């Protein structure tokens, strides 16, 4: 050990738990701030506490990240994270837990492209390829239009945007003999107002890559460990990783900032200091 001192894994875990208790007010500040943001990305991945199945949820934007570990994968978790105050746009995949949220949404086009490509590899018949090419062209035209926003001007841009909405709705309503396209068309019809939200709001992404990047380190941890042994350990994990990821997104030194916040709260100061200006 360092300077002849020995420390066990259990002692490190306990130290992390004590540190997270002092820093929970900082994570609470992150939660309040994401609830006031104009848009958020959300995603979830499998997790375990003492071997029992749980889910790790992530809510992120360009400057903040909030994680929560919960037994549920249902809509009550994102509802509770977002609270009553979030009025922004939520960017997610097509997972059903987000359907009950009465918010403006953008569905991830990368997920849609990925699923279409996987289905094409499994069934490259003409019956599948004809609607595949048609929908791919509609989606690519939308992405191209977004890139040409400045050059086209508002009148032409809005006219082409409305035309894209019409094309997507026509496609979703068309009769599809192929079983996969019956399913995908039904999904597109259900979410047709949530496919091109990024064309209405230039700050909105057409994909959920930000949430997937935020989730990826936890997937690596999950594949190399048993995750958490206790509820307290899960709370510490959520608190500390929320702070670490948020500080990284802002280009700040996590070790220096967490040390500053820890000393601040140990001295009896209850107000959060890390993200007051975020």
């Amino acid at each position: 050990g360092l300077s002849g001192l020995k420390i066990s894994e259990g002692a490190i875990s306990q130290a992390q738990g004590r540190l997270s208790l002092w820093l929970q007010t900082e994570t609470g500040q992150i939660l309040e701030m994401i609830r006031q943001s104009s848009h958020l990305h959300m995603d979830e991945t499998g997790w375990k506490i003492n071997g029992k199945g749980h889910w790790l949820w992530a809510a992120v934007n360009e400057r903040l990240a909030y994680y929560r570990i919960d037994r549920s994968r249902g809509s009550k978790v994102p509802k509770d994270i977002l609270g009553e105050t979030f009025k922004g746009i939520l960017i997610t995949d097509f997972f059903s837990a987000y359907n009950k949220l009465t918010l403006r949404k953008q569905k991830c086009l990368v997920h849609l492209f990925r699923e279409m490509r996987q289905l094409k590899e499994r069934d490259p018949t003409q019956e599948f390829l004809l609607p595949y090419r048609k929908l791919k062209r509609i989606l690519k035209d939308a992405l191209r239009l977004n890139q040409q926003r400045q050059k086209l001007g508002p009148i032409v841009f809005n006219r082409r945007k409305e035309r894209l909405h019409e094309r997507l709705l026509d496609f979703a309503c068309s009769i599809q003999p192929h079983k996969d396209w019956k399913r995908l068309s039904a999904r597109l019809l259900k979410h047709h107002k949530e496919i091109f939200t990024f064309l209405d709001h230039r700050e909105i992404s057409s994909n959920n890559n930000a949430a997937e990047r935020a989730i990826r380190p936890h997937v690596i941890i999950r594949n190399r460990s048993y995750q958490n042994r206790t509820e307290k350990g899960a709370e510490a994990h959520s608190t500390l990783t929320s702070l670490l990821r948020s500080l990284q997104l802002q280009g700040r030194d996590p070790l220096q900032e967490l040390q500053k916040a820890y000393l601040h709260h140990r001295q009896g100061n209850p107000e959060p200091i890390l993200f007051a200006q975020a």
Side-chain angles (χ1 to χ4, degrees), residues 80-221:
D80 188 57
I81 291 175
L82 298 175
E84 299 293 330
T85 57
F86 182 72
K87 305 300 180 185
I89 298 170
L90 187 65
I91 303 135
T92 71
D93 56 22
F94 290 89
F95 180 49
S96 60
Y98 304 110
N99 294 345
K100 294 182 180 180
L101 304 179
T102 56
L103 300 166
R104 191 81 195 273
K105 300 167 194 165
Q106 168 66 51
K107 293 303 181 184
C108 178
L109 298 193
V110 169
H111 277 82
L112 184 55
F113 276 122
R114 186 184 302 150
E115 183 175 1
M116 290 166 58
R117 185 169 59 251
Q118 290 170 348
L119 291 171
K120 184 187 73 169
E121 291 171 357
R122 192 177 70 188
D123 182 11
T125 62
Q126 279 298 107
E127 186 182 29
F128 181 86
L129 287 176
L130 288 175
Y132 168 85
R133 290 167 181 157
K134 186 173 183 180
L135 179 58
K136 183 180 178 181
R137 186 160 53 248
I138 294 171
L139 299 176
K140 290 286 188 180
D141 285 348
L143 295 174
R144 190 177 303 110
L145 178 63
N146 192 47
Q147 295 175 343
Q148 297 172 341
R149 182 190 298 266
Q150 292 295 108
K151 184 168 61 176
L152 293 175
I155 295 176
V156 175
F157 177 84
N158 287 330
R159 185 169 66 242
R160 294 188 182 181
K161 179 182 68 175
E162 291 304 314
R163 177 58 185 150
L164 277 166
H165 281 289
E166 293 171 1
R167 289 168 62 193
L168 180 66
L169 190 57
D170 287 345
F171 180 88
C173 292
S174 61
I175 298 174
Q176 299 288 352
H178 194 283
K179 60 181 178 60
D180 287 326
W181 281 113
K182 286 180 181 178
R183 177 176 55 83
L184 288 174
S185 294
R187 183 195 300 171
L188 289 170
L189 184 59
K190 182 176 184 177
H191 297 288
H192 72 93
K193 293 182 179 179
E194 303 168 355
I195 304 298
F196 296 146
T197 307
F198 71 99
L199 294 176
D200 297 326
H201 303 270
R202 64 177 65 229
E203 76 277 13
I204 300 301
S205 174
S206 63
N207 61 66
N208 200 28
N209 292 349
E212 291 197 341
R213 287 193 296 269
I215 284 282
R216 192 170 296 124
H218 301 267
V219 174
I220 295 172
I221 292 172

Side-chain angles (χ1 to χ4, degrees), residues 6-55:
K6 295 183 178 180
I7 186 168
S8 67
E9 293 179 358
I12 294 174
S13 177
Q14 291 175 14
Q16 288 178 333
R18 290 193 297 269
L19 177 62
S20 71
L21 288 175
W22 288 109
L23 297 177
Q24 280 182 355
T25 184
E26 300 291 345
T27 310
Q29 177 73 0
I30 293 175
L31 181 59
E32 290 304 313
M33 295 182 74
I34 66 169
R35 287 173 172 173
Q36 301 298 326
S37 61
S38 63
H39 60 277
L40 276 177
H41 299 256
M42 289 195 78
D43 201 3
E44 76 293 327
T45 192
W47 200 254
K48 283 185 172 65
I49 299 179
N50 200 26
K52 296 181 180 178
H54 285 68
W55 297 92

